Amino acid sequence: MAGSLQNQRQQLLGIIEEEEQEKLQKQKEETEGNNNNNNNNKSDMAPTAGNSIHRSGSRPQLDVSKAEIQGNVEEKYPTILLPNQSDDLSHLALDIGGSLIKLVYFSRHEDQSWDDKRKRSMKEPLGLSNGNRRSFPILGGRLHFVKFETRKINECLDFIHSKQLHCGGLESHYSDGVTDQNGIIKATGGGAYKYADLFKERLGVSLDKEDEMDCLVAGANFLLKAIRHEAFTHMEGHKEFVQIEPNDLFPYLLVNIGSGVSMIKVDGDGKFERVSGTNVGGGTYWGLGRLLTKCKSFDELLELSQKGDNRTMDMLVGDIYGGLDYSKIGLSASTIASSFGKTISEKKELEEYRPEDISLSLLRMISYNIGQIAYLNALRFRLKRIFFGGFFIRGHAYTMDTISFAVHFWSNGEAQAMFLRHEGFLGALGAFMSYEKHGLDDLMVHQLVERFPMGAPYTGGKIHGPPLGDLNEKISWMEKFLQKGTEITAPVPMTPLAGTTGLGGFEVPLSKGSTLRSDASALNVGVLHLVPTLEVFPLLADPKLYDPNTIDLSDHSELEYWLTILSEHLPDLVDKAVASEGGTDDAKRRGDAFARAFSAHLARLMEEPSAYGKLGLANLLEMREECLREFQFVDAYRSIKQRENEASLAVLPDLLVELDSMDEESRLLTLIEGVLAANIFDWGSRACVDLYHKGTIIEIYRMSRNKMCRPWRVDDFDDFKERMLGTGDKKMPHHKRALLFVDNSGADIVLGMLPLARELLRRGTEVVLVANSLPALNDVTAMELPDIVAEAAKHCDILRRAAEAGGLLVDAMINTSDSSKENPSSVPLMVVENGCGSPCIDLRQVSSELAAAAKDADLIILEGMGRALHTNLNARFKRDALKLAMVKNQRLAEKLVKGNIYDCICKYEPAS
């Protein structure tokens, strides 16, 4: 029976796919014809200057209206269809400075057609039908950040040519290898003038030069408004991320430290004034350092400073006062009185001084002066926030500490020095956005997701930019790296020298040397994924105060514990991933590469927890899933989920009969107990994995049900029961729509959440099952739920009618109108994807269809450890919320609920 149904479904999907492809191809041909006519009409009217890849005379525009995921959502990077996107976009912008070339480029996905009839039928009850579609180029994609030394400009040109970025990254557009001689790339910096002829000669493109200050400010504003955890403070080796609301951003002082230093007062978008600057900057440090130490690169000079002792070079207050403080004016003995002043009285030649000491003294002198001048300008305009950018900083801990102490000292703590993770790419980002009406500057934080390339944790086999594109290339690179041993860029702790001295005018505490980085120039900046379909969950009580992470990993012992847990779980995960791909040699090779890559990420985070931004447990779990997808393990628990679903569906009819024999109050308690008991099946928990070896899924479920003893660790069931059933003669109105955030496959969804959904449907409440867009461990996905519901509906009229009304059944797809006539009063059971592929969920970034479904919802049920404990335990909502989970980690039990493993959480919170 099941096989026959599956065959019918496949045949139906095949027919639909052929029809859709024919329709899309026809629309595409019509559109291309119209576009060609339009281009011909415009060619005499508009100048070609300013065009990038776009062939018409009009400026390219980004139109994200009605954007949606297009293609199989279980793929590694599902494409995003922009049905109203008709213009092509430039994929490249440059900031060519005196020392470095900074490059920002955009990569997008090719269009892929897929069967979406079921998805449309699922969306129609929510009012999300797309109507007629047009086939246009897809935008949704990624922003990449790459840098090259300017003296190696030919490497940069080779990189651009290899990726065909000057052609929009689409080699198929230029099948004969002919480059568009009218192509234009936006660029800023002095090199945009100096190397214009070289770009024309090598790539056949012109550089459209943008004002440097305009670009710096536009890039900074974009990052500060759009990227969460972009800005941070750095004091005494401690990095703390700062989230600034866009409405509270202006005014601020932007200090860009390049070869020289520019100080810009920023009052708004496009509103700024260069108020000061200094010629003592990065070029000064590198120039003097090269003369004095013979270092061959800026990075070498920086690394040298980490081993230095400036007391051999700098004259201290104690040197002048016989080792004493000058307490009358608040100067300690270790305060620098004169940089390099001690060399005056010593009869030494340059060769007799250690290059390490020279480098450190020089770094302190320049960083201190920049910090002081910046504060004086901030004081002049009464600015409390100062952002420092530019490649002089390069994520170098001591540089940031020095600047921070200067600002803190001179302002008596009233002003704050802040730094940017994309510090060196401000100008390039601004140039990229100067393509008129890109729309990127209007994006909110939820539309950009930062991911980290597979190669981020390594130094061996140097990689420029994004992850290696070809899977075999990635694995081969991994294997070559492994031959090098453990050359991970996890910063090597540097032992602080005893008696580390202060800076001119104030004292610097001893440096926490463990934060000094051996890879100061690595700047592990992630790739920014642009997902126009993501929105903020509209039912958050206060999005500004919302933080999904319940566990704070800033405590090193806490971080070490969870990194160890993930590491110990890794071998089992690799086994499951390889088995999901048939256990082939290729799968084993990919599994090995995944394990080593993820282990290197964990090692990096152990050394530098803030390397990838503010770290929470949800971020760790998501990184693991991203690594799996990086090596093309689409669903590591596929076979396990199928087996558990079948076992649970086999006993569902008996459970439903048992529930129907109960009175309303007993049934509600049994349903909640069932959800809690079924939530024990979680392959992300080591304790639960051990249970699987002690019995079958049904035996474990029954054992868990039998142990359901109230009161639970958090027990708000009576409050929830009163809201659902009322008290005495007082009856409560039913909820209009409930959002059920589901968790695991198998017993969790089939024996726990589906019966609860059925009860809500019985009471007249619309139910929306919210599931992952992409697989994560054994979590059920939105693509899998309709088949599970269809099987469950064979044994239950309530589920069948609701599923038909919600467009979940294949039969309903054929004749939905007839079903709705038979059951006009049926409330729908619907499924939407949540927009993520992680065991946790960040409600600042959910799918647009979930956001739309939430607008009419008045009950939220978050189920599972990842969604209701790891994240969102403390979240507050505008509507009634019920959080259900079984605690399956002893440390989590102790930290969050002061309980024990297998304690139950039933937390009910009425609408805020």
Side-chain angles (χ1 to χ4, degrees), residues 528-566:
L528 300 182
H529 288 236
L530 171 62
V531 190
T533 58
L534 293 181
E535 300 183 29
V536 175
F537 188 60
L539 299 185
L540 288 174
D542 189 344
K544 294 180 181 179
L545 299 178
Y546 172 77
D547 183 355
N549 289 297
T550 309
I551 300 294
D552 182 7
L553 297 184
S554 59
D555 180 346
H556 190 77
S557 63
E558 192 73 26
L559 175 64
E560 184 176 6
Y561 170 81
W562 289 104
L563 292 178
T564 301
I565 289 289
L566 290 175

Side-chain angles (χ1 to χ4, degrees), residues 354-383:
R354 293 198 323 146
E356 294 91 335
D357 302 339
I358 295 173
S359 177
L360 180 59
S361 295
L362 190 59
L363 177 64
R364 286 184 167 182
M365 179 185 75
I366 292 173
S367 299
Y368 164 71
N369 276 277
I370 291 172
Q372 184 178 20
I373 295 171
Y375 166 67
L376 292 175
N377 278 281
L379 181 65
R380 176 183 167 198
F381 295 101
R382 298 181 181 178
L383 304 175

Side-chain angles (χ1 to χ4, degrees), residues 652-672:
L652 177 62
D654 291 340
L655 175 61
L656 296 183
V657 170
E658 177 187 348
L659 289 168
D660 288 342
S661 67
M662 300 178 181
D663 62 74
E664 197 173 36
E665 184 173 330
S666 299
R667 186 166 64 242
L668 184 61
L669 175 59
T670 303
L671 284 165
I672 298 301

Side-chain angles (χ1 to χ4, degrees), residues 569 572-573 576 635-641 683 777-778:
H569 187 260
D572 183 67
L573 177 58
K576 299 294 186 299
D635 190 350
Y637 286 76
R638 182 191 299 128
S639 58
I640 290 174
K641 291 193 292 184
W683 281 89
L777 293 174
N778 64 318

Side-chain angles (χ1 to χ4, degrees), residues 161-177:
H161 187 270
S162 69
K163 290 187 174 290
Q164 293 289 288
L165 298 179
H166 59 308
C167 306
L170 301 176
E171 297 181 50
S172 59
H173 286 191
Y174 305 93
S175 56
D176 298 328

Side-chain angles (χ1 to χ4, degrees), residues 627-853:
C627 263
L628 279 168
R629 287 188 279 272
E630 188 74 44
F631 291 95
Q632 295 188 5
F633 289 106
V634 177
D635 190 350
Y637 286 76
R638 182 191 299 128
S639 58
I640 290 174
K641 291 193 292 184
Q642 291 173 348
R643 185 171 66 246
E644 292 182 352
N645 287 338
E646 290 170 1
S648 301
L649 285 165
V651 299
L652 177 62
D654 291 340
L655 175 61
L656 296 183
V657 170
E658 177 187 348
L659 289 168
D660 288 342
S661 67
M662 300 178 181
D663 62 74
E664 197 173 36
E665 184 173 330
S666 299
R667 186 166 64 242
L668 184 61
L669 175 59
T670 303
L671 284 165
I672 298 301
E673 287 177 342
V675 171
L676 294 171
N679 189 236
I680 197 172
F681 298 97
D682 187 348
W683 281 89
S685 165
R686 170 57 60 186
C688 295
V689 171
D690 294 338
L691 276 180
Y692 279 86
H693 300 296
K694 299 178 181 177
T696 67
I697 186 171
I698 301 306
E699 290 172 342
I700 298 169
Y701 171 70
R702 287 171 178 161
M703 174 198 72
S704 183
R705 282 286 301 270
N706 292 335
K707 291 185 177 181
M708 289 284 111
C709 298
R710 296 185 64 197
W712 301 315
R713 178 56 57 181
V714 176
D715 193 341
D716 295 334
F717 172 76
D718 290 336
D719 293 336
F720 179 65
K721 180 185 71 173
E722 182 177 340
R723 169 59 186 87
M724 293 291 289
L725 306 180
T727 54
D729 296 332
K730 182 183 178 183
K731 294 296 181 182
M732 300 296 290
H734 65 74
H735 290 96
K736 180 180 179 182
R737 175 181 290 174
L739 301 179
L740 273 60
F741 288 78
V742 298
D743 191 9
N744 305 305
S745 294
D748 200 352
I749 179 65
V750 176
L751 305 181
M753 291 300 278
L754 272 185
L756 179 59
R758 176 177 179 262
E759 181 67 17
L760 291 167
L761 292 166
R762 188 205 299 267
R763 292 175 52 81
T765 299
E766 296 179 356
V767 174
V768 181
L769 301 176
V770 185
N772 270 14
S773 300
L774 297 172
L777 293 174
N778 64 318
D779 289 0
V780 67
T781 68
M783 287 294 289
E784 296 164 342
L785 266 178
D787 286 333
I788 294 173
V789 171
E791 289 299 314
K794 293 177 182 178
H795 311 289
C796 175
D797 287 341
I798 296 174
L799 289 176
R800 181 180 60 79
R801 290 194 299 269
E804 287 179 354
L808 297 182
L809 299 185
V810 174
D811 292 341
M813 291 168 57
I814 300 172
N815 201 350
T816 305
S817 58
D818 290 343
S819 298
S820 60
K821 289 176 183 177
E822 289 180 18
N823 304 289
S825 60
S826 294
V827 291
L829 172 63
M830 296 164 281
V831 171
V832 300
E833 55 183 311
N834 58 21
C836 79
S838 166
C840 302
I841 186 168
D842 183 344
L843 294 174
R844 293 169 298 199
Q845 295 177 314
V846 302
S847 70
S848 55
E849 63 181 71
L850 171 54

